[in-house]
Amino acid sequence: PPAWLFWADKTVAKEIQGTNEDKHRVWFEIDGNENEVDAYAAEIEKSIRLLNMKLENEDSALSDFSYVEQKKDEFWIVEEFKLSFLKMRDFSTFVDGVLRSFNCKGGLFGQISDGKISLFIKSADESLVKEIMVLTKQYVRKIGGSTSGKYDRIKGIYENEVLKSLELAIIKQTDPNQIFNR
């Protein structure tokens, strides 16, 4: 099994790679002693051939895309949706439909093997992003998933005021100069 695996759909892969290629991307790392790694690599190569996929660059690392949160014409949601691996396809189909209904470009990315996935929305329109988030969170809960709640906290949206007070107290105590939390 990979030590880590990161997936990006076509839209997000284009943004990360800075290319016009319409391809999903999967980055992964395998770990172990030399014999284990060689055996894992052989199995992965076999799977790639069976799935008619292409191994692009064996030694490439995941691009650093921490800069995306600074872009003003896009919204990269740092919140993770946690879902059963078996629900990922349904979630992806739902998100595609929502983005199309809002005539909005976006996509999904994350650690799909761990059931953690995030949403990219190419829009600076806060009200549009908020509507998409409400629908997405409702759907995630409907299919038995959960959200990290980070989007709500960043935007000052709290469904439970007790949690808001508790979180703000913890932040004030652990990060009084608001270096890590704004």
Side-chain angles (χ1 to χ4, degrees), residues 21-40:
E21 294 179 350
D22 239 2
K23 299 177 182 177
H24 289 253
R25 294 275 194 245
V26 177
W27 293 266
F28 60 89
E29 179 179 307
I30 48 180
D31 195 13
N33 64 44
E34 188 175 347
N35 290 337
E36 290 173 326
V37 169
D38 289 345
Y40 292 153

Side-chain angles (χ1 to χ4, degrees), residues 2 15 28 47 49 78-79 86 89-90 97 104 110 113 115 126 135 139-140 142-143 150 158-159 164 171:
E15 296 290 329
F28 60 89
S47 296
R49 282 192 304 276
V78 292
E79 176 165 2
L86 300 173
R89 183 178 297 249
D90 294 340
C104 190
S113 62
E126 292 272 342
L135 293 172
Y139 182 77
V140 166
K142 178 181 167 187
I143 62 173
K150 189 165 186 179
Y158 288 88
E159 294 175 8
K164 177 180 180 180
I171 289 171

Side-chain angles (χ1 to χ4, degrees), residues 13-136:
K14 279 183 183 180
E15 296 290 329
I16 293 171
Q17 299 288 141
T19 67
N20 288 323
E21 294 179 350
D22 239 2
K23 299 177 182 177
H24 289 253
R25 294 275 194 245
V26 177
W27 293 266
F28 60 89
E29 179 179 307
I30 48 180
D31 195 13
N33 64 44
E34 188 175 347
N35 290 337
E36 290 173 326
V37 169
D38 289 345
Y40 292 153
E43 286 297 315
I44 289 168
E45 286 178 21
K46 188 168 96 178
S47 296
I48 285 172
R49 282 192 304 276
L50 286 172
L51 295 168
N52 198 26
M53 295 167 64
K54 181 177 163 189
L55 190 59
E56 292 264 328
N57 187 345
E58 292 182 43
D59 295 324
S60 69
L62 179 61
S63 303
D64 176 16
F65 60 104
S66 57
Y67 68 91
V68 296
E69 290 182 30
Q70 305 304 317
K71 291 180 147 188
K72 301 298 179 207
D73 62 333
E74 302 170 356
F75 192 82
W76 291 81
I77 296 176
V78 292
E79 176 165 2
E80 289 179 334
F81 299 102
K82 295 173 180 78
L83 304 163
S84 159
F85 182 75
L86 300 173
K87 299 288 185 178
M88 290 291 177
R89 183 178 297 249
D90 294 340
F91 179 66
S92 178
T93 301
F94 172 81
V95 168
D96 286 345
V98 168
L99 292 171
R100 269 195 312 277
S101 72
F102 282 90
N103 197 27
C104 190
K105 183 179 177 183
L108 298 170
F109 64 98
Q111 297 165 302
I112 199 164
S113 62
D114 295 333
K116 299 180 210 171
I117 196 157
S118 295
L119 176 61
F120 161 67
I121 302 171
K122 191 168 185 88
S123 175
D125 182 341
E126 292 272 342
S127 62
L128 175 78
V129 170
K130 185 176 179 180
E131 280 188 70
I132 291 171
M133 282 302 300
V134 166
L135 293 172
T136 304

